[in-house]
Amino acid sequence: MKVKKAVIPAAGLGTRFLPATKAMAKEMLPIVDKPTIQFIVEEALKSGIEDILIVTGKAKRPIEDHFDANLELEMNLKEKGKDELLKLVEETTEVNLHFIRQTHPRGLGHAVLQAKAFVGNEPFIVMLGDDLMEDKVPLTKQLINDYEKTHASTIAVMKVPHEETSKYGIINPEGEVTKGLYNVKSFVEKPQPEDAPSDLAIIGRYLLTPEIFDILENQAPGAGNEIQLTDAIDTLNLTQRVFAREFKGQRHDVGDKLGFLKTSIDYGLTHPEIKIGLKDYIIELGKMLEEKEQPVLKETTSTKEK
C-alpha cells in the first residue's frame, strides 16, 4: 500500500522560546524568512506525500492562516508586479492540509492518536517540527523506500553522544538487515547513559503501520506521565517487525535557542538575498572576537632611583 499521508504534531506550548511563544506558535518562528513548519511540509511534499494532518493546540491558529490564501495580499503583490513574492505566497496555499486540535496535551503518543480517523487503515508518516533534515534524498522518502521493500514500520535514528542518551528514545539494535537498516530488539524512552543499549537515538521521523493506534489507545503513561510514542512502538515491535533507518544527512535541531540560531545561520549562508552579507559579517565578527581575546600588553618603563 502506498504511503501518502503524514501527521505533524504541533500542539506543544513552546516554553523553551518564551516570551516569543506566549502568543505565537513555536512552529511559526522563522528561519530567516520561512517558518520552521514550512520546511517540514516541503519535505513531505518532496517525498510524495499527498495529504498532511497538522495536530494543533491553543494559540496555533497562525499555522492555519499561513497555509491559507490571503487574497488581499496576493492582489496587492500582483498589482505591484511583485511576481516572485506572489509566487512564494501562493506556494504555501498549494498544499492539501487538514487540521485537528489536541485539546488536552498528553504527550506525543496522544497527539499521534488524534490522527486515527484521518489515517484510517493505511501506513503513514509522523514528522516532528523540531528536526529539520537535510539530505540528497529527503529522510521521509528514505523511510518510504524502506517500507516499499519491508512493508513494516521504520523509525529514523541517528548516532548521538553517549552522554546525551537521556534526551532521546534509544534503540537496542539486533543487527543490520541492509546497510543502515537495523532490526530492533527494543526501544527505550530517555535512558540514562549507563542504561542506554546504544547511541542510536530516535529522531523526528517515523513511518508507522495503522496498528499503532490500537496500542496508543491502551498505552499507559510513561516518562513525564505522558503517553509516549516510543513505548507504543516498543509494544508494536512485539507483534510485528519494526526497523530503524540510520540517517546520515544533516540534522538541524530547532527545538532550543542555540540550535535555532545555528540553523538560522546555516540557512542564511545559502539564502540568495543575504548569503554574501552574512558571510562578510561572520568574518568581521570573528576578527573582532580575536582582537578581544588578545592579551593587552602594557608598555613598561624602568627608572633609575636617584
Side-chain angles (χ1 to χ4, degrees):
M1 185 177 292
K2 184 180 177 182
V3 181
K4 57 186 179 181
K5 293 181 178 179
V7 177
I8 304 176
L13 297 175
T15 53
R16 292 182 182 179
F17 288 91
L18 287 171
T21 50
K22 180 182 178 182
M24 179 181 183
K26 177 189 70 173
E27 296 78 11
M28 289 302 297
L29 294 175
I31 304 295
V32 182
D33 57 2
K34 185 184 295 186
T36 56
I37 196 167
Q38 188 170 331
F39 285 92
I40 308 299
V41 169
E42 289 175 354
E43 180 188 332
L45 297 177
K46 290 176 183 176
S47 301
I49 295 297
E50 299 175 7
D51 291 279
I52 301 171
L53 175 70
I54 300 180
V55 182
T56 66
K58 188 176 181 181
K60 302 289 183 170
R61 183 59 187 268
I63 297 176
E64 297 183 40
D65 292 340
H66 175 71
F67 290 104
D68 197 2
N70 186 328
L71 298 180
E72 183 179 353
L73 174 62
E74 292 171 21
M75 184 65 68
N76 182 274
L77 294 174
K78 188 174 183 179
E79 290 175 351
K80 294 182 178 181
K82 297 182 178 181
D83 296 334
E84 291 186 7
L85 290 177
L86 177 61
K87 183 180 178 182
L88 288 175
V89 171
E90 289 178 336
E91 283 177 353
T92 63
T93 64
E94 297 172 355
V95 185
N96 195 10
L97 286 179
H98 311 263
F99 296 88
I100 190 170
R101 176 167 287 198
Q102 183 187 17
T103 55
H104 296 90
R106 296 171 183 162
L108 177 58
H110 184 258
V112 172
L113 183 57
Q114 309 310 302
K116 183 177 181 179
F118 166 78
V119 170
N121 193 35
E122 300 179 34
F124 66 105
I125 293 283
V126 175
M127 310 175 72
L128 304 189
D130 284 349
D131 291 324
L132 306 186
M133 307 301 189
E134 189 176 349
D135 207 349
K136 292 180 179 179
V137 177
L139 179 52
T140 293
K141 179 59 176 173
Q142 293 180 35
L143 297 181
I144 292 173
N145 290 343
D146 286 330
Y147 177 82
E148 289 175 351
K149 298 173 184 176
T150 65
H151 302 288
S153 296
T154 308
I155 314 303
V157 297
M158 193 173 192
K159 286 187 178 179
V160 298
H162 191 72
E163 62 272 14
E164 295 182 8
T165 56
S166 61
K167 300 178 182 178
Y168 301 90
I170 302 292
I171 70 165
N172 184 1
E174 211 169 22
E176 286 184 282
V177 180
T178 58
K179 188 175 181 180
L181 185 66
Y182 293 86
N183 264 318
V184 182
K185 186 175 181 180
S186 62
F187 298 82
V188 185
E189 179 64 21
K190 299 180 179 178
Q192 292 301 313
E194 60 270 22
D195 300 321
S198 76
D199 295 332
L200 289 170
I202 299 171
I203 51 178
R205 301 293 182 274
Y206 311 72
L207 192 156
L208 300 170
T209 53
E211 288 79 12
I212 194 71
F213 292 117
D214 291 335
I215 297 171
L216 286 170
E217 286 180 326
N218 298 286
Q219 183 68 50
N225 200 33
E226 296 182 334
I227 306 300
Q228 296 292 346
L229 182 59
T230 301
D231 294 341
I233 293 170
D234 192 43
T235 302
L236 179 67
N237 196 36
L238 298 175
T239 57
Q240 59 178 248
R241 295 186 303 172
V242 178
F243 294 101
R245 161 60 61 185
E246 184 176 1
F247 180 57
K248 295 287 190 177
Q250 178 67 44
R251 171 180 175 247
H252 300 279
D253 183 355
V254 296
D256 60 49
K257 296 182 183 72
L258 181 58
F260 188 88
L261 286 172
K262 287 180 178 180
T263 303
S264 296
I265 293 171
D266 289 342
Y267 180 62
L269 288 171
T270 66
H271 195 289
E273 293 180 28
I274 66 170
K275 61 182 181 181
I276 296 176
L278 180 58
K279 182 179 178 181
D280 291 342
Y281 173 72
I282 291 173
I283 292 172
E284 186 63 30
L285 184 61
K287 292 178 181 178
M288 291 172 57
L289 292 174
E290 284 182 3
E291 291 175 0
K292 288 183 179 181
E293 291 175 358
Q294 292 294 326
V296 178
L297 300 178
K298 294 183 179 180
E299 292 186 2
T300 59
T301 57
S302 60
T303 58
K304 294 182 180 180
E305 290 185 2
K306 295 184 179 179

